[in-house]
Each structure stands twice: as structure tokens, then as C-alpha cells.
Amino acid sequence: MSELAAPTALPSPAAPRAPEAPSPRPRRWVWWLLGVAAVLLVLTLVAQRMLDPWLRRKLVQQVSTQTHGQYRLQVGALHTSLWQRVIRLSDLRLRPAATVADTLPRIRLDVAQIDITGIGLLALLRKGVVPVDSVVLDSARVEVLALAHKPTKNAGKPLHEKLPLKLKGLDIGYFGLQHIQANYQPGGTQNQPTAQFRRADLSAQNLLISAAGAADSQRLGYAIGWNLRLQHAQGHAGGHQLAVAGLTVSTADQRIQLDSGRVQPLGNATAGKPRIDLTLPRLLLTGLRAAELQHQHRFRADSLLIRQPQLTASLPATGSAGKATSPLEYLKSLDLAHLAVQEGYVRVQGAAANPVIHGLQVAGTAIHFDSLNAPDAQRIFFANAWEVALGRSQATVEAHALALGSVHLSTAKGTFDLRSVRIRPPAPGQGKPGGVRVDLKLPGLALAGLDSKALQQRHFKAQSLVLDRPDLDFTPPVQPPPPFWKLLSKQLRRSDLAVVRVNHADVRFGRWRHAPHVRDLNATGKSIRIDSVANIDPARIAYARAWVLNTGRFSAPFDRPFYRASSQHVHLDTDAHQLTFSDMLLRPRFSPIGMNLHKGYQAPAVTIKVKRLALAGLDFVGLVNHGDFRMKRATVQSPVVTIASDGRGPINPNKSKISPEEMLNLPVIVDVPRLDLVNGNLYTTYRSPLTPITGTMNINRFNGTFLNLSNDRRHQTPATPLTGRATTYLQNQCRLDAQLSVYLLNPKGRHHIWGVFGPGPFAMLNSMTVPTKLVEFKRGQAQRIRFDMRVDRQGTTGTMWAEYTGLQMELLGYKHEEVKKTLIKRVISKAVNVIVIRDQNPRKRGELVTGEMKSTREPRFSVFALWRQGVVSGLFNNAGVPQKIAQKLSEAQDQAPLPKGPSK
């Protein structure tokens, strides 16, 4: 039992045996494999021979089916290689039927050869995205004879949705069109666009025609990159012929180059349609991100160069009814690192200005436009900087011909320069009747410190503006224009200019009653601001804080056409409140009788010369803004006045304006606390109807001071009237000391004059009395003549104290062109001297007899004539002439018919 329970021992491993040789079996699978291969080879050879004809028939059938039998495709040869996955087609011809449906275009196509390599057969069988190594079409000619008038609903589908065999897509490594010719001449109206080109070469890399390729933002037209080379293309559209010698496009190199482009109008001009004549030798665009332009509507490029463009455009007189589409409506943004236009020519006809520009040069840097956001305030018209230069240019502005020698603008430097500016006024009969007229020659205009960033915000800011030697003839409009700031407000909301300078200008004005002519004008204005606020700023003078002005000869008509006033030099300084005129002259255009003949009544010819007129403390603000003349002191240096009169003709029918009460009628304020007349001289000549001999009378060495010459009611009161004191010499022999007191706001013109004549002979009056009154002071010596005269609108009253001796008068006659002592006149003279004239005063009894100064006011004569009448009446009465007769003699005025014939 114990033996049974014990475990049995394991046998020892057997020794290895030699392998037995297998029994020989036939290798049937090799034969089967060889058989299958042989069958496949046979089938492939049979299919290869049968595939080419089948594909050829299938291709022809497919074209006929897709076009409903309206197109016929002819294939000269078709060869395939399944091993190489290649299809080669040659001598293809696509022809339309005699009549093609409106849903299809009418096209003729000839292709010499098409090579398709590396076709993915398995993907083709699965109808997936078929990979293709390359598709190359060589030597094709396309003729488009007509377009589809009623495209089908599938015409607008993207290309990847219209692939044959319902393929999901094509992935073509290389696609090329070589030696392509095209002729696009669809039938229809004469204005149908046409196009043709002699040769085009187009290639694409990695062309993925599928939904994924269409959605890929890195692709353009399904491809990673396109290259186009177009030669000798031309066509016409919109009444214009277009021609391009060469066009190169490379999206991989981000480059577009156009060579020798030309646009020309065809036929005669059509109303309402623009005409463009453009020559473009070179256009080069680099760094273009074309994919962004397609997918994101964002234009980005490095540079755009336009070389020597020559543009002539004729715009329609009225805008077309259709709404033009702007490229900015398509673009969301535009970024261009650099823009350059070189040596351009522009001419626009039919526009308001009709500009013609030679030598156009434009350079812009970092140009950025964003349609969704407001313009960057740090940019200048969408760019960091602009450089613009124009050569010889011209335009029409408000019927004025404008010509420019050159223009240069630099926003980086803040400069703007004009050279050789010429503005010509409209020809007679042209322009707006009564409108402004400008005739300008401006050799140079320079603007510095221009803030172009502010300018795009309609705020003009600059440091200095210099106008060099402008020659301006300006005629303002008949209808007064609005204020200058309001005219500028249409374009600018505000203007600020630190300094403006005008150098050696010649300025003439027309149409104004006193239109001036200023020669050699030199002006400087400081801190100029032009807007509505500056217009009412009481501290500004013509929009500036200060002006300094110096001129050469300044002249203007006065009482046109009878006088012309001038000054050889004018100096103005608003900070110093000074205005000075040097060598002033008022000169009549006619002789005394000529004045009478032209006016139809007696009018003296007055000549005034003033060495210097100085206005100190002048309120320029009131003068410019209100026309008021307020100053502290006026000085008239060495005035010389010549009054030449002729007594032939009627008396002036108009009321004289030279009267104290006329100060009430002045529309402006005149306020001169002190007026000094220094070393003045008055020369009068008079030709009476009695004789042709001219009488003369002089007042010399006039020196006077007048205080409170004012019509300001705050200063001119009865208690503070105008007062004056003067000394002068009658005939440069007899001294006169006179005083004056006038309340200028008295409507009755009341005033007071008193004074003293010094010693002098009565014979000094003969130079006037003999030829004009035929009265001679034969003897007589005045020792002292005092007078006290009060004047108003009615006349003069007063008293004269004349102290004289040996007074005798002689009445004369005029015969045979000679003043003579006739017998009758001698008798009358003897009687007058004995009976009427008292030969001395005080009289022999020692009594000093006074004379009554009384004369009636004639409102047609000046107040100076009334003063003379008062002195004459008092002198005659003092000498013994009865008062009534003395008054009548003082008021006597010569009147005679005007002579016949004109006189200078």
C-alpha cells in the first residue's frame, strides 16, 4: 500500500531526434498568383486599349449631355497611362450649335494639348477629393461670341459645387495655362464690352477646389499662389478703349506690375457720360496680401508706384442718375505702407475748376483707412505723412483762370509753397454780373509750421505765412459779402496763424468810391485767429493781435473822378497806436473852369500837399470794427493848400458839408483831443467874370493848435467845446492871431471867433481885388485890426476895431484886355474916397470907430466863406461904408454863364 501511495518518479527527458524530411507538395498558390497577374495584365492591356476610346466618347458625350446637345466637342487624340496616372489630350475643339439657348454662352475653344498627371484613381473611384499632380493646358484660343442672357440658377454656385462626376473636390498640385489667346466679343449692342489678348500665361500652386479650399483664408481662388502674365491685351467698355502691353501678377511674390496701360475714349462725346484718356507707363504694387482682400475685404500692401500717369478726363455737365459704387464700400480697411505717384499729368474738363496739372508728384507713407472706426487723429488724411508736388498747373475758379508755376506740400516738415501764381479775371461779359474780380500775380507764397493733423479736423494752424511781391487788382462784389470768418467757415471752423508777412506788394482796389492803390506794401500781422469768437474779440484788429505796415506810394480817388489823393509813404503800428502819412497830395484832375464845366456849377480845384500827417494814440480796434477815429493827437506838418476858383458858372446848388453842424451827421465818431497844424500855407487864385486876369491871395506860416475836436457826446459838451488858437500871416506880411470856440454838437452851428491882425499895408490885397473886383487900395496902412465874430446857421454878427491911416481906394475899369483908370471911374473913386471912405481910424477927433460884422449865411458855401464875409463886411463898415452896403458887398457872389467848349 505504501508503494502505491508513493509518488511515481518522473521519466528523464528523451534525447532529441533528427527532423523528418517533409513529403514533397506542389506549390499551387504561386501558380494561382501568376495566373491572376497574367489575367490582370491581359485585362489591363485590353482595358488600356479600350479605355482611351471610351474616355474620348464619354468626354464628348458628357459635353453634349451637359449642354443639351448645343455644344460639340472634338478631341484629336486622348492617351492615358494607368501606371503613370497620366491623361494627355490634344487638338481639342469646342463648337456651339448654330443656335444656342439663352441659358448658355456662345463660345469657341481650341486647345492644342492638355496634360493631366498624377491622378488619384482610388479617390476618383470613391468620388472624394481627387489628388492630381498637375494640370497643364497649352496653346489655347478662346472666343466668346455671346453671353448667356438668362443664366440658370446654378450659374451663381461656387466652382467646387459644379465639379463633374459629383466629385467632392480636386487637389491639384500645379495648374497651368500656357500660351493662351482670348477674344471676348459678345454680340448685342454696340456698347457691349469687348476684350482680347495676344498671350496669357496663368499658373496656380496647390489648387484645392473643394469646400475646404474655398473656406481656407490663406488661399486665393482655391490656390495657395497664382501667377499671371498677360501680354498685349485690349478691349473696350463704357465707350472707351483699353490697352495693356503687359501685366504681371504673382500672389506668392505679392506683386502686381502693369506696363504701358492706355485708356482712350471712342467716338464722339455723349451727354451725361464721362470720357477718360489715360496713359499709364508703369504701375507697380508690392507686398499685396491678396487672400485678405478676398476673404476679409482688407487691402494690405507694402507699396504702390504709379509712374508718369497722363490723365485727361471730361466730366458730364450734370451728374448721372445712377449711383456709382465706391471701392471704399467694399473695403473694410486699407493699409498701404508707401504710395508714390511720379511725374503725373492730370487734366479734368467739365468740372467746376477744370484743373490742368503738370509734374504731379505724390508720396504718402503708412496710409490706413478703417471703414468701421473713426479716422486716427494722429494721421493726416489717413497717412502718417504726405509729400505732394505739382509742376505747371492751371484751373478755373469762379470764372477766374488760375495758373501755378509749382506747388509743394510736406506734412512732415509742415511746409506749403506756391510759386508763380497767376489769377486772371473773367473776360468782359463772363462771370457773375456784379461779382468779385481778382487779377493777381504772386511770385511766391510760403507757409511754414503747418499742423496738418489739425487741418483734417477743419482747424488751420501754422507758424508763418509769407507772400512775396504780390501784384493784386481786386474788385469786390456789388453785394457786400459776409464777414471773412463766415466765408472761411464753410471749409474751416477756425484758423490760427502766428505770423503773416506781405513783402513788396502792389495792391489795387476797384468799384469802391475811394478804391485805393497801394505800392510796395510791407505788412506783418501777429497772432491771427479767424473765427466767430475772434470776430468779436475787442483786443483784435482785423483778426490779429497786432499789425505793422509800411507802404510806398498810396493813392485813391477822391470825389471821383475829380480828385486823386496820395501819400508817398504810410507807416502803421497798432502796438504803438501810430499811423503816419508822408508827402500827402490831393490833386484835381481838371482846371478850375474844367471843374465848373464837368460839374455844371462853380467848384474850386483844390490842391493839398502835406509833408507829414501823424496820428498818435490811434484806436485801431474802433477804426477797423466801427470806422471810428479816436486818437490822442494829430499833427499836420507843413500843409500847403492851393484853391483855384473860377467865377463863371452858376452857384453850387448843393448844401455845403464844411460846416460845424455837419459833425452831428457823421456816421462815425471822430475824437481828437489835440490837433496841431505846423507851418501851413494857403494859396488862393480866382478868375472873376469881370476880367480874365487871375487874382491871388496867400495865407502863410499858419501854426495852430485845436483841442477837443470831437463829436463824442461824452467829450463834446457846451462846457468843453472845440477850442483853437492859431497864428498866420496874410500875404506873408500881416500877422493874424485868432482863436476859436465851437460846440460841435450844436445843431444851429453856433461858434465864436476872435483875433487880431497885425500891421500891414492895404495894398497887399490888390493882387486879389484889382483883377477880380476892379478895386485898388491906392494907399493905406493898417496898424491893428481886432475882431470878435459870432457865427451860426443864419449868418455872422460881431464887432471890428480897425486902426489904420491914409486909406484911399481906386475904382478901375477893364478895356482892351487891360485894367485901366478910366475918367468915369476916377470921378467915382474921388467921390467915394471923400464921401464914403474914412481915411483913418481913430478919426481926427481921436475917436476909435468900430465896424459891424454882419453877413447872411448862404448854406451852399462853406463856413470859411462865411468867416471871410464877416471880416469883409466889418472892414468896409469900419472904413465908412454903411452897414447895409458893407453887408451886401460882402455877400456879393460872381455868377456868369459857363464858357462854351471843354477845358482841362
PDB file of all heavy atoms in Angstrom, residues 63 67 69-74 92-98 100 106-111 141 143 145:
ATOM      1  N   VAL A  63     -20.074  66.414 -72.628  1.00  0.00           N
ATOM      2  CA  VAL A  63     -20.248  67.795 -73.065  1.00  0.00           C
ATOM      3  C   VAL A  63     -21.601  67.981 -73.741  1.00  0.00           C
ATOM      4  O   VAL A  63     -22.324  68.956 -73.521  1.00  0.00           O
ATOM      5  CB  VAL A  63     -19.095  68.194 -74.005  1.00  0.00           C
ATOM      6  CG1 VAL A  63     -19.389  69.528 -74.679  1.00  0.00           C
ATOM      7  CG2 VAL A  63     -17.793  68.245 -73.249  1.00  0.00           C
ATOM      8  N   THR A  67     -24.720  70.251 -72.103  1.00  0.00           N
ATOM      9  CA  THR A  67     -25.189  71.424 -72.867  1.00  0.00           C
ATOM     10  C   THR A  67     -26.446  71.135 -73.653  1.00  0.00           C
ATOM     11  O   THR A  67     -26.842  71.962 -74.491  1.00  0.00           O
ATOM     12  CB  THR A  67     -24.085  71.885 -73.819  1.00  0.00           C
ATOM     13  OG1 THR A  67     -23.803  70.832 -74.759  1.00  0.00           O
ATOM     14  CG2 THR A  67     -22.819  72.259 -73.061  1.00  0.00           C
ATOM     15  N   GLY A  69     -26.929  69.087 -75.974  1.00  0.00           N
ATOM     16  CA  GLY A  69     -26.638  68.914 -77.380  1.00  0.00           C
ATOM     17  C   GLY A  69     -26.336  70.182 -78.141  1.00  0.00           C
ATOM     18  O   GLY A  69     -26.226  70.174 -79.373  1.00  0.00           O
ATOM     19  N   GLN A  70     -26.119  71.326 -77.406  1.00  0.00           N
ATOM     20  CA  GLN A  70     -25.879  72.585 -78.099  1.00  0.00           C
ATOM     21  C   GLN A  70     -24.395  72.866 -78.297  1.00  0.00           C
ATOM     22  O   GLN A  70     -24.048  73.854 -78.938  1.00  0.00           O
ATOM     23  CB  GLN A  70     -26.529  73.733 -77.314  1.00  0.00           C
ATOM     24  CG  GLN A  70     -28.040  73.583 -77.213  1.00  0.00           C
ATOM     25  CD  GLN A  70     -28.673  74.769 -76.524  1.00  0.00           C
ATOM     26  OE1 GLN A  70     -28.805  75.831 -77.127  1.00  0.00           O
ATOM     27  NE2 GLN A  70     -29.057  74.572 -75.275  1.00  0.00           N
ATOM     28  N   TYR A  71     -23.553  72.040 -77.728  1.00  0.00           N
ATOM     29  CA  TYR A  71     -22.113  72.171 -77.942  1.00  0.00           C
ATOM     30  C   TYR A  71     -21.565  70.812 -78.387  1.00  0.00           C
ATOM     31  O   TYR A  71     -22.010  69.746 -77.933  1.00  0.00           O
ATOM     32  CB  TYR A  71     -21.395  72.622 -76.666  1.00  0.00           C
ATOM     33  CG  TYR A  71     -21.325  74.123 -76.529  1.00  0.00           C
ATOM     34  CD1 TYR A  71     -22.314  74.820 -75.863  1.00  0.00           C
ATOM     35  CD2 TYR A  71     -20.265  74.831 -77.088  1.00  0.00           C
ATOM     36  CE1 TYR A  71     -22.258  76.193 -75.750  1.00  0.00           C
ATOM     37  CE2 TYR A  71     -20.201  76.206 -76.976  1.00  0.00           C
ATOM     38  CZ  TYR A  71     -21.199  76.888 -76.309  1.00  0.00           C
ATOM     39  OH  TYR A  71     -21.142  78.244 -76.211  1.00  0.00           O
ATOM     40  N   ARG A  72     -20.592  70.865 -79.265  1.00  0.00           N
ATOM     41  CA  ARG A  72     -19.941  69.665 -79.790  1.00  0.00           C
ATOM     42  C   ARG A  72     -18.452  69.762 -79.526  1.00  0.00           C
ATOM     43  O   ARG A  72     -17.819  70.753 -79.867  1.00  0.00           O
ATOM     44  CB  ARG A  72     -20.207  69.548 -81.291  1.00  0.00           C
ATOM     45  CG  ARG A  72     -19.556  68.334 -81.952  1.00  0.00           C
ATOM     46  CD  ARG A  72     -20.049  68.199 -83.389  1.00  0.00           C
ATOM     47  NE  ARG A  72     -19.850  69.443 -84.127  1.00  0.00           N
ATOM     48  CZ  ARG A  72     -18.736  69.710 -84.813  1.00  0.00           C
ATOM     49  NH1 ARG A  72     -17.738  68.857 -84.813  1.00  0.00           N
ATOM     50  NH2 ARG A  72     -18.636  70.853 -85.475  1.00  0.00           N
ATOM     51  N   LEU A  73     -17.931  68.698 -78.882  1.00  0.00           N
ATOM     52  CA  LEU A  73     -16.516  68.638 -78.559  1.00  0.00           C
ATOM     53  C   LEU A  73     -15.834  67.656 -79.488  1.00  0.00           C
ATOM     54  O   LEU A  73     -16.293  66.516 -79.660  1.00  0.00           O
ATOM     55  CB  LEU A  73     -16.311  68.203 -77.102  1.00  0.00           C
ATOM     56  CG  LEU A  73     -14.855  68.020 -76.662  1.00  0.00           C
ATOM     57  CD1 LEU A  73     -14.114  69.342 -76.706  1.00  0.00           C
ATOM     58  CD2 LEU A  73     -14.788  67.405 -75.263  1.00  0.00           C
ATOM     59  N   GLN A  74     -14.738  68.103 -80.060  1.00  0.00           N
ATOM     60  CA  GLN A  74     -13.910  67.236 -80.894  1.00  0.00           C
ATOM     61  C   GLN A  74     -12.554  67.082 -80.211  1.00  0.00           C
ATOM     62  O   GLN A  74     -11.921  68.063 -79.841  1.00  0.00           O
ATOM     63  CB  GLN A  74     -13.729  67.834 -82.290  1.00  0.00           C
ATOM     64  CG  GLN A  74     -15.021  67.997 -83.071  1.00  0.00           C
ATOM     65  CD  GLN A  74     -14.795  68.640 -84.433  1.00  0.00           C
ATOM     66  OE1 GLN A  74     -13.659  68.881 -84.827  1.00  0.00           O
ATOM     67  NE2 GLN A  74     -15.882  68.905 -85.143  1.00  0.00           N
ATOM     68  N   LEU A  92      -8.096  69.675 -79.183  1.00  0.00           N
ATOM     69  CA  LEU A  92      -9.494  69.775 -78.747  1.00  0.00           C
ATOM     70  C   LEU A  92     -10.161  70.970 -79.426  1.00  0.00           C
ATOM     71  O   LEU A  92      -9.568  72.055 -79.535  1.00  0.00           O
ATOM     72  CB  LEU A  92      -9.586  69.946 -77.220  1.00  0.00           C
ATOM     73  CG  LEU A  92      -9.396  68.688 -76.362  1.00  0.00           C
ATOM     74  CD1 LEU A  92      -7.943  68.318 -76.258  1.00  0.00           C
ATOM     75  CD2 LEU A  92     -10.002  68.905 -74.977  1.00  0.00           C
ATOM     76  N   ARG A  93     -11.408  70.746 -79.836  1.00  0.00           N
ATOM     77  CA  ARG A  93     -12.194  71.820 -80.448  1.00  0.00           C
ATOM     78  C   ARG A  93     -13.602  71.773 -79.865  1.00  0.00           C
ATOM     79  O   ARG A  93     -14.249  70.729 -79.908  1.00  0.00           O
ATOM     80  CB  ARG A  93     -12.249  71.657 -81.966  1.00  0.00           C
ATOM     81  CG  ARG A  93     -10.897  71.746 -82.643  1.00  0.00           C
ATOM     82  CD  ARG A  93     -11.056  71.601 -84.148  1.00  0.00           C
ATOM     83  NE  ARG A  93     -11.813  72.723 -84.690  1.00  0.00           N
ATOM     84  CZ  ARG A  93     -12.279  72.747 -85.948  1.00  0.00           C
ATOM     85  NH1 ARG A  93     -12.087  71.703 -86.745  1.00  0.00           N
ATOM     86  NH2 ARG A  93     -12.944  73.790 -86.374  1.00  0.00           N
ATOM     87  N   LEU A  94     -14.026  72.902 -79.331  1.00  0.00           N
ATOM     88  CA  LEU A  94     -15.380  73.030 -78.783  1.00  0.00           C
ATOM     89  C   LEU A  94     -16.140  74.026 -79.642  1.00  0.00           C
ATOM     90  O   LEU A  94     -15.727  75.189 -79.759  1.00  0.00           O
ATOM     91  CB  LEU A  94     -15.333  73.492 -77.327  1.00  0.00           C
ATOM     92  CG  LEU A  94     -16.685  73.637 -76.622  1.00  0.00           C
ATOM     93  CD1 LEU A  94     -17.340  72.271 -76.454  1.00  0.00           C
ATOM     94  CD2 LEU A  94     -16.512  74.302 -75.249  1.00  0.00           C
ATOM     95  N   ARG A  95     -17.261  73.565 -80.207  1.00  0.00           N
ATOM     96  CA  ARG A  95     -18.019  74.407 -81.122  1.00  0.00           C
ATOM     97  C   ARG A  95     -19.484  74.426 -80.709  1.00  0.00           C
ATOM     98  O   ARG A  95     -20.060  73.389 -80.354  1.00  0.00           O
ATOM     99  CB  ARG A  95     -17.917  73.886 -82.552  1.00  0.00           C
ATOM    100  CG  ARG A  95     -16.510  73.960 -83.142  1.00  0.00           C
ATOM    101  CD  ARG A  95     -16.124  75.415 -83.350  1.00  0.00           C
ATOM    102  NE  ARG A  95     -14.814  75.528 -83.983  1.00  0.00           N
ATOM    103  CZ  ARG A  95     -13.665  75.597 -83.342  1.00  0.00           C
ATOM    104  NH1 ARG A  95     -13.651  75.525 -82.003  1.00  0.00           N
ATOM    105  NH2 ARG A  95     -12.530  75.712 -83.993  1.00  0.00           N
ATOM    106  N   PRO A  96     -20.085  75.619 -80.775  1.00  0.00           N
ATOM    107  CA  PRO A  96     -21.515  75.694 -80.458  1.00  0.00           C
ATOM    108  C   PRO A  96     -22.361  75.325 -81.672  1.00  0.00           C
ATOM    109  O   PRO A  96     -21.891  75.324 -82.813  1.00  0.00           O
ATOM    110  CB  PRO A  96     -21.692  77.158 -80.079  1.00  0.00           C
ATOM    111  CG  PRO A  96     -20.668  77.868 -80.907  1.00  0.00           C
ATOM    112  CD  PRO A  96     -19.496  76.925 -81.036  1.00  0.00           C
ATOM    113  N   ALA A  97     -23.596  75.026 -81.389  1.00  0.00           N
ATOM    114  CA  ALA A  97     -24.539  74.786 -82.471  1.00  0.00           C
ATOM    115  C   ALA A  97     -24.876  76.105 -83.163  1.00  0.00           C
ATOM    116  O   ALA A  97     -24.469  77.184 -82.733  1.00  0.00           O
ATOM    117  CB  ALA A  97     -25.790  74.118 -81.915  1.00  0.00           C
ATOM    118  N   ALA A  98     -25.631  76.011 -84.248  1.00  0.00           N
ATOM    119  CA  ALA A  98     -25.999  77.227 -84.978  1.00  0.00           C
ATOM    120  C   ALA A  98     -26.789  78.177 -84.099  1.00  0.00           C
ATOM    121  O   ALA A  98     -26.644  79.400 -84.176  1.00  0.00           O
ATOM    122  CB  ALA A  98     -26.795  76.860 -86.239  1.00  0.00           C
ATOM    123  N   VAL A 100     -27.864  78.755 -79.976  1.00  0.00           N
ATOM    124  CA  VAL A 100     -27.611  78.356 -78.597  1.00  0.00           C
ATOM    125  C   VAL A 100     -28.677  78.977 -77.705  1.00  0.00           C
ATOM    126  O   VAL A 100     -29.070  80.136 -77.895  1.00  0.00           O
ATOM    127  CB  VAL A 100     -26.207  78.798 -78.139  1.00  0.00           C
ATOM    128  CG1 VAL A 100     -25.962  78.398 -76.692  1.00  0.00           C
ATOM    129  CG2 VAL A 100     -25.138  78.169 -79.018  1.00  0.00           C
ATOM    130  N   ARG A 106     -22.176  81.600 -75.885  1.00  0.00           N
ATOM    131  CA  ARG A 106     -21.730  81.091 -77.179  1.00  0.00           C
ATOM    132  C   ARG A 106     -20.204  81.245 -77.230  1.00  0.00           C
ATOM    133  O   ARG A 106     -19.672  82.360 -77.296  1.00  0.00           O
ATOM    134  CB  ARG A 106     -22.389  81.867 -78.306  1.00  0.00           C
ATOM    135  CG  ARG A 106     -22.113  81.296 -79.700  1.00  0.00           C
ATOM    136  CD  ARG A 106     -22.925  82.065 -80.743  1.00  0.00           C
ATOM    137  NE  ARG A 106     -22.696  81.535 -82.077  1.00  0.00           N
ATOM    138  CZ  ARG A 106     -23.326  80.468 -82.587  1.00  0.00           C
ATOM    139  NH1 ARG A 106     -24.232  79.845 -81.844  1.00  0.00           N
ATOM    140  NH2 ARG A 106     -23.067  80.047 -83.807  1.00  0.00           N
ATOM    141  N   ILE A 107     -19.496  80.098 -77.173  1.00  0.00           N
ATOM    142  CA  ILE A 107     -18.041  80.085 -77.022  1.00  0.00           C
ATOM    143  C   ILE A 107     -17.436  79.155 -78.064  1.00  0.00           C
ATOM    144  O   ILE A 107     -17.977  78.078 -78.350  1.00  0.00           O
ATOM    145  CB  ILE A 107     -17.643  79.626 -75.605  1.00  0.00           C
ATOM    146  CG1 ILE A 107     -18.207  80.576 -74.543  1.00  0.00           C
ATOM    147  CG2 ILE A 107     -16.131  79.535 -75.462  1.00  0.00           C
ATOM    148  CD1 ILE A 107     -17.966  80.122 -73.138  1.00  0.00           C
ATOM    149  N   ARG A 108     -16.283  79.563 -78.584  1.00  0.00           N
ATOM    150  CA  ARG A 108     -15.454  78.716 -79.449  1.00  0.00           C
ATOM    151  C   ARG A 108     -14.119  78.527 -78.749  1.00  0.00           C
ATOM    152  O   ARG A 108     -13.485  79.498 -78.322  1.00  0.00           O
ATOM    153  CB  ARG A 108     -15.249  79.353 -80.810  1.00  0.00           C
ATOM    154  CG  ARG A 108     -16.539  79.504 -81.619  1.00  0.00           C
ATOM    155  CD  ARG A 108     -16.311  80.405 -82.823  1.00  0.00           C
ATOM    156  NE  ARG A 108     -15.300  79.859 -83.691  1.00  0.00           N
ATOM    157  CZ  ARG A 108     -15.534  79.083 -84.764  1.00  0.00           C
ATOM    158  NH1 ARG A 108     -16.794  78.791 -85.092  1.00  0.00           N
ATOM    159  NH2 ARG A 108     -14.562  78.640 -85.520  1.00  0.00           N
ATOM    160  N   LEU A 109     -13.704  77.225 -78.660  1.00  0.00           N
ATOM    161  CA  LEU A 109     -12.489  76.910 -77.917  1.00  0.00           C
ATOM    162  C   LEU A 109     -11.633  75.956 -78.725  1.00  0.00           C
ATOM    163  O   LEU A 109     -12.119  74.938 -79.229  1.00  0.00           O
ATOM    164  CB  LEU A 109     -12.816  76.278 -76.564  1.00  0.00           C
ATOM    165  CG  LEU A 109     -11.632  75.751 -75.733  1.00  0.00           C
ATOM    166  CD1 LEU A 109     -10.706  76.893 -75.346  1.00  0.00           C
ATOM    167  CD2 LEU A 109     -12.142  75.009 -74.503  1.00  0.00           C
ATOM    168  N   ASP A 110     -10.327  76.288 -78.862  1.00  0.00           N
ATOM    169  CA  ASP A 110      -9.338  75.412 -79.486  1.00  0.00           C
ATOM    170  C   ASP A 110      -8.174  75.273 -78.519  1.00  0.00           C
ATOM    171  O   ASP A 110      -7.597  76.284 -78.077  1.00  0.00           O
ATOM    172  CB  ASP A 110      -8.849  75.996 -80.802  1.00  0.00           C
ATOM    173  CG  ASP A 110      -9.945  76.039 -81.848  1.00  0.00           C
ATOM    174  OD1 ASP A 110     -10.135  75.042 -82.539  1.00  0.00           O
ATOM    175  OD2 ASP A 110     -10.625  77.102 -81.959  1.00  0.00           O
ATOM    176  N   VAL A 111      -7.853  73.977 -78.217  1.00  0.00           N
ATOM    177  CA  VAL A 111      -6.755  73.696 -77.292  1.00  0.00           C
ATOM    178  C   VAL A 111      -5.801  72.737 -77.986  1.00  0.00           C
ATOM    179  O   VAL A 111      -6.217  71.648 -78.455  1.00  0.00           O
ATOM    180  CB  VAL A 111      -7.251  73.082 -75.976  1.00  0.00           C
ATOM    181  CG1 VAL A 111      -6.077  72.817 -75.049  1.00  0.00           C
ATOM    182  CG2 VAL A 111      -8.270  73.989 -75.322  1.00  0.00           C
ATOM    183  N   ARG A 141      -6.990  78.814 -77.593  1.00  0.00           N
ATOM    184  CA  ARG A 141      -7.602  80.025 -78.124  1.00  0.00           C
ATOM    185  C   ARG A 141      -9.089  79.989 -77.778  1.00  0.00           C
ATOM    186  O   ARG A 141      -9.783  79.014 -78.086  1.00  0.00           O
ATOM    187  CB  ARG A 141      -7.420  80.128 -79.625  1.00  0.00           C
ATOM    188  CG  ARG A 141      -8.086  81.368 -80.226  1.00  0.00           C
ATOM    189  CD  ARG A 141      -7.818  81.494 -81.712  1.00  0.00           C
ATOM    190  NE  ARG A 141      -8.522  82.640 -82.277  1.00  0.00           N
ATOM    191  CZ  ARG A 141      -8.085  83.899 -82.204  1.00  0.00           C
ATOM    192  NH1 ARG A 141      -6.929  84.140 -81.596  1.00  0.00           N
ATOM    193  NH2 ARG A 141      -8.768  84.878 -82.739  1.00  0.00           N
ATOM    194  N   GLU A 143     -12.798  82.103 -77.860  1.00  0.00           N
ATOM    195  CA  GLU A 143     -13.590  83.181 -78.437  1.00  0.00           C
ATOM    196  C   GLU A 143     -14.966  83.158 -77.783  1.00  0.00           C
ATOM    197  O   GLU A 143     -15.666  82.139 -77.864  1.00  0.00           O
ATOM    198  CB  GLU A 143     -13.737  83.021 -79.949  1.00  0.00           C
ATOM    199  CG  GLU A 143     -12.451  83.200 -80.722  1.00  0.00           C
ATOM    200  CD  GLU A 143     -12.689  83.110 -82.224  1.00  0.00           C
ATOM    201  OE1 GLU A 143     -13.409  84.001 -82.753  1.00  0.00           O
ATOM    202  OE2 GLU A 143     -12.184  82.164 -82.839  1.00  0.00           O
ATOM    203  N   LEU A 145     -18.453  84.557 -78.100  1.00  0.00           N
ATOM    204  CA  LEU A 145     -19.257  85.245 -79.110  1.00  0.00           C
ATOM    205  C   LEU A 145     -20.534  85.828 -78.537  1.00  0.00           C
ATOM    206  O   LEU A 145     -21.096  86.756 -79.110  1.00  0.00           O
ATOM    207  CB  LEU A 145     -19.597  84.261 -80.242  1.00  0.00           C
ATOM    208  CG  LEU A 145     -18.382  83.583 -80.886  1.00  0.00           C
ATOM    209  CD1 LEU A 145     -18.842  82.580 -81.930  1.00  0.00           C
ATOM    210  CD2 LEU A 145     -17.451  84.599 -81.493  1.00  0.00           C
TER     211      LEU A 145
END
